[in-house]
């Protein structure tokens, strides 16, 4: 049994990719993880710029099971920055659109939601597929 480390806001993890490179993710509040744009061959070459490819929800066990490697904790400059960006949600039953932000849903419009990430919790292989360029996660494909 692996010793599970406590996941903290600001933790940066190296994500091993199938092409023997590493992507990096930073833990946000509300089960969020920001996937950095930077990819590196050297696991210790962590991103210095806070530039993210995308930010999604993640299952906590992915960060505790040793599949992704804890590198460092980079504290956020302030409380506001530690929240993931706004995300969208569409309720198929009511036909209503919502914006999810800071743990709350607010009624919204299709137009306001169109460029936002869909609020969902992702598994590790889905995140890796998206990092590697799979477009099956684009809104237009579902």
């Amino acid at each position: 049994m692996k010793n599970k480390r406590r996941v903290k806001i600001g933790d940066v993890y190296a994500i091993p990719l199938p092409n023997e490179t590493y992507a990096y993710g930073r833990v946000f509040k509300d089960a969020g993880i920001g996937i950095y744009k930077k990819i590196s061959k050297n696991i210790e070459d962590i991103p210095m710029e806070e530039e993210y490819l995308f930010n999604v929800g993640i299952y906590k066990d992915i960060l505790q099971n040793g599949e992704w490697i804890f590198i460092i904790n980079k504290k956020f400059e302030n409380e506001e920055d530690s929240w993931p960006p706004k995300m969208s949600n569409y309720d198929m039953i009511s036909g209503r659109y919502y914006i999810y932000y800071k743990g709350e849903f607010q009624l919204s419009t299709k137009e306001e939601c169109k460029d936002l990430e869909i609020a969902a919790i992702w598994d590790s292989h889905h995140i890796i597929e998206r990092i590697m360029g799979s477009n099956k996660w684009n809104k237009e494909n579902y």
Side-chain angles (χ1 to χ4, degrees):
M1 182 172 146
K2 292 190 181 215
N3 184 11
K4 291 187 177 186
R5 100 176 261 297
R6 188 171 155 248
V7 176
K8 297 176 186 160
I9 305 304
D11 284 354
V12 176
Y13 288 82
I15 304 166
L17 300 175
N19 63 356
E20 298 181 9
T21 61
Y22 296 92
Y24 301 87
R26 186 177 186 198
V27 177
F28 281 71
K29 289 185 174 192
D30 205 21
I33 190 161
I35 304 300
Y36 285 97
K37 289 181 178 180
K38 182 174 185 164
I39 293 180
S40 177
K41 287 190 174 275
N42 180 350
I43 193 171
E44 295 169 1
D45 189 17
I46 63 170
M48 300 309 287
E49 304 294 322
E50 300 308 317
E51 297 177 3
Y52 300 100
L53 189 60
F54 57 91
N55 197 312
V56 294
I58 187 171
Y59 291 109
K60 189 164 104 174
D61 66 310
I62 294 167
L63 304 174
Q64 294 178 317
N65 67 12
E67 181 180 345
W68 294 2
I69 304 122
F70 170 75
I71 301 294
I72 192 171
N73 182 280
K74 289 175 69 176
K75 295 196 181 311
F76 286 92
E77 286 189 28
N78 57 60
E79 164 93 12
E80 188 67 26
D81 290 349
S82 67
W83 287 96
K86 293 178 180 179
M87 296 183 181
S88 69
N89 182 271
Y90 175 69
D91 183 340
M92 293 176 68
I93 295 171
S94 70
R96 292 183 176 161
Y97 289 86
Y98 295 88
I99 289 180
Y100 181 77
Y101 187 57
K102 294 185 176 180
E104 295 183 12
F105 288 95
Q106 286 187 318
L107 191 58
S108 188
T109 65
K110 182 177 183 176
E111 184 64 25
E112 290 174 321
C113 290
K114 75 175 185 171
D115 294 326
L116 299 178
E117 187 75 46
I118 294 174
I121 302 294
W122 290 48
D123 206 343
S124 62
H125 65 279
H126 297 138
I127 292 173
I128 290 169
E129 287 173 0
R130 185 164 170 189
I131 293 167
M132 298 301 294
S134 172
N135 70 352
K136 72 180 179 182
W137 305 109
N138 294 353
K139 284 184 183 181
E140 302 81 42
N141 293 327
Y142 56 92

